[in-house]
Amino acid sequence: MDPIYFKTKDGREACVRTVEPADAEAMVALMLTTSAETRFLGYEPGEFPYTPETETEFIQKALADPSHIFLVAEVAGQLAGELQIKAMNARRRFTHRAGLGMVIYQAYWGHGIGTVLMQAGLSEAKAMGVEQVELEVVTSNRRGLALYQRMGFKVFGTHPRAIKYADGSYADEYLMQVQF
């Protein structure tokens, strides 16, 4: 994918582009920081299992996989977030479906980065022949839910007690999908 250059809502230069192995260290920092910033991710703080070396390997595998879209957003040259869309299953009956995950530093929430990442990722998925993109979102994640709905996603179910936090509390998730 060619890089997409844009300005954030507060006027900073930004870019969405395909991930590169050189991004591995920044990706690990993103996951470690964001897992402590929000309860909307699948990791407890400090639980992200990758090192820069294992993240480099993961990125290389993702780049070699034609069913894996892996994009990053940068603001003023600094990593601000990432989005991945990957085929749900390699079997023929499921190749029309893909799952989506996205992470953005809290400091960049509300600056338009998620919108550009989503537009780019969904455009790439559609061009690859994906017919349906699915995701799960914590029901209290109002920002994420609003973004996904603006991108055409619809709730098709709820997964009660989908997440159990370290403090023993639970969160439900909406199951969402968009079809092309």
Side-chain angles (χ1 to χ4, degrees):
M1 179 188 97
D2 291 331
I4 299 169
Y5 298 96
F6 64 102
K7 288 195 184 276
T8 61
K9 289 182 179 179
D10 62 354
R12 290 180 283 176
E13 297 291 327
C15 174
V16 166
R17 61 171 174 79
T18 301
V19 72
E20 299 170 355
D23 296 318
E25 191 170 335
M27 289 294 302
V28 171
L30 170 73
M31 296 306 295
L32 289 173
T33 300
T34 55
S35 64
E37 288 181 331
T38 178
R39 291 169 55 106
F40 300 142
L41 303 180
Y43 298 104
E44 286 287 336
E47 195 175 44
F48 185 69
Y50 289 89
T51 64
E53 295 76 28
T54 57
E55 182 70 12
T56 298
E57 292 172 18
F58 179 80
I59 291 169
Q60 289 169 335
K61 286 179 185 174
L63 292 171
D65 182 347
S67 70
H68 196 152
I69 298 164
F70 196 162
L71 306 177
V72 294
E74 295 178 322
V75 175
Q78 299 298 310
L79 188 73
E82 64 100 359
L83 173 137
Q84 295 183 55
I85 299 176
K86 184 168 179 4
M88 299 288 268
N89 194 308
R91 290 191 302 258
R92 172 69 185 99
R93 291 183 178 187
F94 301 99
T95 57
H96 68 290
R97 296 170 56 203
L100 181 148
M102 183 169 66
V103 177
I104 297 173
Y105 279 116
Q106 191 172 23
Y108 295 107
W109 291 0
H111 291 275
I113 292 157
T115 298
V116 178
L117 272 171
M118 290 285 292
Q119 289 169 336
L122 293 175
S123 177
E124 287 291 302
K126 189 174 180 180
M128 286 175 27
V130 171
E131 298 173 20
Q132 180 172 301
V133 177
E134 303 170 20
L135 60 84
E136 297 168 357
V137 59
V138 174
T139 58
S140 62
N141 183 351
R142 297 294 171 215
R143 280 184 186 275
L145 185 59
L147 171 62
Y148 303 142
Q149 289 172 326
R150 280 195 317 272
M151 294 294 120
F153 283 82
K154 303 225 181 306
V155 173
F156 69 92
T158 302
H159 188 169
R161 293 170 52 141
I163 295 174
K164 183 176 182 180
Y165 297 112
D167 67 5
S169 65
Y170 295 91
D172 298 345
E173 287 183 327
Y174 289 130
L175 308 174
M176 301 184 79
Q177 66 176 222
V178 64
Q179 296 178 348
F180 305 120

